[in-house]
Amino acid sequence: MIARLLGCFLLVLYAFQGAGQSPQTAAFQQALAHASTDTSRVLLLADLSATYRYSHFDSVQWYALQGLKLARRIGYPKGEGRCLSRLAILLSERGNLPEALRLNLQALQLNRQSHDARGEARTLNQTGLLYFALDDFRPSLRYYFQARTTYQQAHLDDVSLLASITTNIGASYQGLALLDSASYYLRQAHDLTTTPPPTGWSCWGNPQPYILRELGRLQASRGLTSSALDHYRRSAKAAIPENDLRSRCRAFQYMAELFYRRQQPDSCVLYARKSLVVGQTLPFIVGVLRTSTLLADVFKARGQNDSTLKYMGIMLTAQDSLHNPQRIKQLDAIGFDEQLRLRQLEEERAELTTSFRLYALWVGLGTLLLVALLLGRHIYKQKQANQRLQYLNNQINQQKEELTQQRDTLGRMVQQLRTAQSQLVLREKMASLGELMASVAHEIKNPMSSVKNLAAISAELCQDLREELAKTVLPIDDQQMIDEMFNNLSQYQSKIVMYTQRAEGL
């Protein structure tokens, strides 16, 4: 009875949500209305939630919460994991990455607990998207490849999921600037969506708009502007029948950014406004933030202050609704690897069987015994080494004292030798100087004696000359002048004799 009432209520609700449906929504609504078991209802509610992922976020939350409540009430871990995964998608789209991470980790544990390979592959893919949102492409690639491996090992038949994983791998390689690898995977993803699968698209719909958009980004990275614009337009067009507002918003946004880089402000404003309108309809907060920021920059460059303020207001509102993205990125980057690692360790520990416990105990006891023996041997060797070192240290100290004494003795001897050497050098210098002086004195005395004798002879000659001149009568003036000259000559000769006598006395 309760199930029928719930089905009737949902049929009434569908009538008011038709505008936000995707092409897959109606089929799941009919299936939910005729579901006969609670478990199938939970899975259908999760799938219905997924059909609104790109068109109406409130419906995503509503159906996922309804399925989560029912799954927990009936104790259905598989359905609980699926619904938690849908809620994590919604939180990540709105920028609340830490909460999205927490829900993804819970969903992943429930997926593995219930052996839900499809749900596990989807959750791993979403976990990679969280890393991708932080521009951390290598961890995102690791989770995408895990999702791909899980998909292949379980032999799943979900083209939407495989195409999404493959596209995400290509987008991550593009983020790492490995354009050849990006092209390889994006082409693979595009080939998967060229024709609908025989069983029709899953609740996730046709991912072609997303693939075309990423192919456009690849062409833009290679500088092929015309090809990039063509892919963006095809993406926006392909999003219409899928009611994929998110891809349409992104396609217009990338076109606007491309025109902005090409300095075509009019085209930039045109597509940025289209992107903003579509993003606000969803509402896709990340897209609203990007396009409003772009429009604010364009109008600021034009000097149109009113329009600048308008779009800056929209930008600030979007930032507030994203719960401070910078803080979220910091928290997520710090705790992301550690939380997932701890989760995996817990799961691996839970898989260990009791049969290994005794073996581990014996191994532990053996290890402890071995460690104890090695430690005792090490302590014994260490003690011997310490004794040997102490003995060597004493010898070294003794030798050090002896060397110190010898050094001091040698120092004093060196000082004495230096003093004696200085005295010997001085004596040798004095002896050399004495010999030099004696030699000089000897060399001086001989000429001095000769000079003195010649001066004496000269004095006698002058006296004889004066006596001879006295016999001759000369004028008085001449006689006075000659006498004065003889007097001067006599004085000079006397001084010569005196100086020579002093020199001889040295």
Side-chain angles (χ1 to χ4, degrees), residues 120-137:
E120 182 180 350
R122 177 65 64 179
T123 305
L124 287 169
N125 187 44
Q126 292 173 193
T127 306
L129 287 171
L130 293 178
Y131 274 111
F132 188 87
L134 299 173
D135 294 333
D136 200 358
F137 302 111

Side-chain angles (χ1 to χ4, degrees), residues 352-421:
L352 294 176
T353 60
T354 308
S355 60
F356 291 101
R357 292 179 182 175
L358 185 60
Y359 173 80
L361 179 61
W362 282 110
V363 170
L365 289 174
T367 303
L368 288 175
L369 181 59
L370 180 61
V371 169
L373 291 173
L374 292 175
L375 184 60
R377 183 175 181 275
H378 175 73
I379 292 173
Y380 176 75
K381 293 290 185 183
Q382 189 70 29
K383 185 177 179 180
Q384 286 186 330
N386 289 337
Q387 292 175 351
R388 180 64 179 170
L389 287 174
Q390 184 65 33
Y391 173 76
L392 293 175
N393 188 43
N394 293 335
Q395 286 189 335
I396 290 172
N397 290 335
Q398 184 178 357
Q399 292 177 359
K400 181 180 179 182
E401 292 176 359
E402 293 176 357
L403 290 173
T404 302
Q405 293 176 357
Q406 293 177 3
R407 183 199 63 189
D408 296 338
T409 303
L410 289 174
R412 289 193 296 271
M413 293 176 65
V414 169
Q415 187 63 33
Q416 292 174 359
L417 287 173
R418 286 178 179 172
T419 303
Q421 184 181 10

Side-chain angles (χ1 to χ4, degrees), residues 128-145 168-178 214 217:
L129 287 171
L130 293 178
Y131 274 111
F132 188 87
L134 299 173
D135 294 333
D136 200 358
F137 302 111
R138 294 196 181 279
S140 68
L141 277 173
R142 184 169 68 249
Y143 288 103
Y144 294 148
F145 279 116
N168 289 335
I169 292 173
S172 293
Y173 276 124
Q174 184 176 347
L176 292 171
L178 301 175
E214 292 304 317
R217 290 183 63 228

Side-chain angles (χ1 to χ4, degrees), residues 19-22 49-61 89-90 92-94 213 239 242-250 253 274-288:
Q21 294 179 354
S22 69
S49 175
T51 63
Y52 287 98
R53 177 187 176 186
Y54 302 119
S55 56
H56 199 268
F57 283 164
D58 290 340
S59 297
V60 174
Q61 183 176 8
I89 293 175
L90 179 63
S92 65
E93 293 288 352
R94 290 177 170 173
R213 190 181 76 221
E242 290 293 323
N243 199 17
D244 187 349
L245 301 182
R246 186 181 187 277
S247 289
R248 191 169 174 81
C249 173
R250 280 293 201 189
Q253 172 199 324
K274 287 184 177 181
S275 175
L276 184 60
V277 170
V278 177
Q280 288 175 326
T281 303
L282 193 51
F284 178 41
I285 304 301
V286 175
V288 170

